[in-house]
Amino acid sequence: MSEKVEELEGPEDDKEQTLVAHLIELRSRIVRMAVSVLLVFACLSPFMKQIFDYLSIPLMAALPQGAKLLATGVIAPFMVPLKVTLFLAFIIALPYVLWQLWGFIAPGLYRKEKRLAVPIIVSSLIMFFLGMAYCYFVVFRMVFQFIARFAPESVNFAPDIDSYFNFVLALFLAFGVTFEVPIIVVVLNRLGVTNVEKLKKARAYMIVGSFILAAIFTPPDVLSQCLLALPIIILYQVGIMLCPIFGKAKNPDDDDD
């Protein structure tokens, strides 16, 4: 009888146990990610007002002296600073979140893939932060000054804080992703999907596409669209210049599983 039971327990049972183990590990890592974000948020929560005030500096500089932002919602003065602080907590905890994701994915990768993935993750994180910094210190200050300059005298230019947060969040994500362009170009070349000659031929299409993307993700003004499209074009060219340095991947048969 015991032999029959052992025969019934075959590879399918092993697969189910492996799947359960992976799901348990994934759950534990997701919990760690959430806890890390909440811990950072708990440390930042006493400074919610100061964090929102710092985020609103570029807009406040464009407003008339003594003007303030509006809060049209009843709980907006509390919820918007809370969302800003939570977003900042996630950005601060992002390296640890990615490290947890890497710990879950890495065991299933080949050695070659690990050597390629680690630099990509680190450089992508750095470029994403640089994109956000460029957006805050350069784009916001120029765009808000530009918009305020064209506001009629009969219009009180005082945006709602909820709309301001949504606008800022959208631009942060847009510029953060934009600064990943050279990494994407280098990876595509290294994987053999494309090469430098094809990338150079596609430069004209990239210029047109960058302005189309800028028109989609930025306000309908020429300045903000140029401030997004020009970095895409420049970073695309930087990626082309980096392709010969990193070259293409070696034969995967040379690597162990």
Side-chain angles (χ1 to χ4, degrees), residues 74-178:
V74 177
I75 60 174
F78 170 75
M79 288 301 300
V80 175
L82 186 144
K83 290 190 288 187
V84 172
T85 306
L86 187 60
F87 174 73
L88 179 61
F90 175 76
I91 294 299
I92 294 175
L94 187 57
Y96 180 79
V97 171
L98 293 178
W99 182 68
Q100 287 294 326
L101 287 175
W102 172 249
F104 179 75
I105 298 172
L109 300 178
Y110 294 107
R111 187 183 305 171
K112 172 182 68 67
E113 294 170 337
K114 291 181 182 179
R115 290 200 301 265
L116 181 62
V118 172
I120 290 175
I121 293 174
V122 174
S123 57
S124 298
L125 194 62
I126 294 173
M127 294 302 293
F128 188 83
F129 289 156
L130 286 177
M132 291 182 60
Y134 168 77
C135 182
Y136 179 82
F137 291 105
V138 178
V139 176
F140 285 167
R141 297 177 187 276
M142 297 180 66
V143 168
F144 294 143
Q145 292 286 350
F146 177 81
I147 295 174
R149 192 179 303 118
F150 283 90
E153 294 294 334
S154 58
V155 175
N156 183 18
F157 180 54
D160 174 63
I161 59 174
D162 200 10
S163 301
Y164 176 68
F165 171 71
N166 294 331
F167 175 81
V168 166
L169 180 61
L171 284 189
F172 273 152
L173 295 177
F175 279 89
V177 174
T178 295

Side-chain angles (χ1 to χ4, degrees), residues 114-247:
K114 291 181 182 179
R115 290 200 301 265
L116 181 62
V118 172
I120 290 175
I121 293 174
V122 174
S123 57
S124 298
L125 194 62
I126 294 173
M127 294 302 293
F128 188 83
F129 289 156
L130 286 177
M132 291 182 60
Y134 168 77
C135 182
Y136 179 82
F137 291 105
V138 178
V139 176
F140 285 167
R141 297 177 187 276
M142 297 180 66
V143 168
F144 294 143
Q145 292 286 350
F146 177 81
I147 295 174
R149 192 179 303 118
F150 283 90
E153 294 294 334
S154 58
V155 175
N156 183 18
F157 180 54
D160 174 63
I161 59 174
D162 200 10
S163 301
Y164 176 68
F165 171 71
N166 294 331
F167 175 81
V168 166
L169 180 61
L171 284 189
F172 273 152
L173 295 177
F175 279 89
V177 174
T178 295
F179 273 61
E180 306 292 338
V181 168
I183 299 173
I184 296 173
V185 171
V186 171
V187 170
L188 291 177
N189 174 76
R190 186 169 176 81
L191 294 178
V193 176
T194 185
N195 53 48
V196 176
E197 289 73 21
K198 291 181 180 179
L199 291 170
K200 289 181 179 179
K201 291 180 180 178
R203 188 185 290 120
Y205 300 100
M206 185 64 183
I207 294 174
V208 175
S210 64
F211 280 97
I212 294 175
L213 290 175
I216 295 173
F217 292 104
T218 59
D221 63 89
V222 177
L223 180 61
S224 57
Q225 293 175 6
C226 291
L227 290 174
L228 179 59
L230 291 179
I232 296 177
I233 299 170
I234 295 172
L235 292 172
Y236 182 78
Q237 183 61 36
V238 171
I240 294 176
M241 296 170 62
L242 293 176
C243 285
I245 299 176
F246 293 96

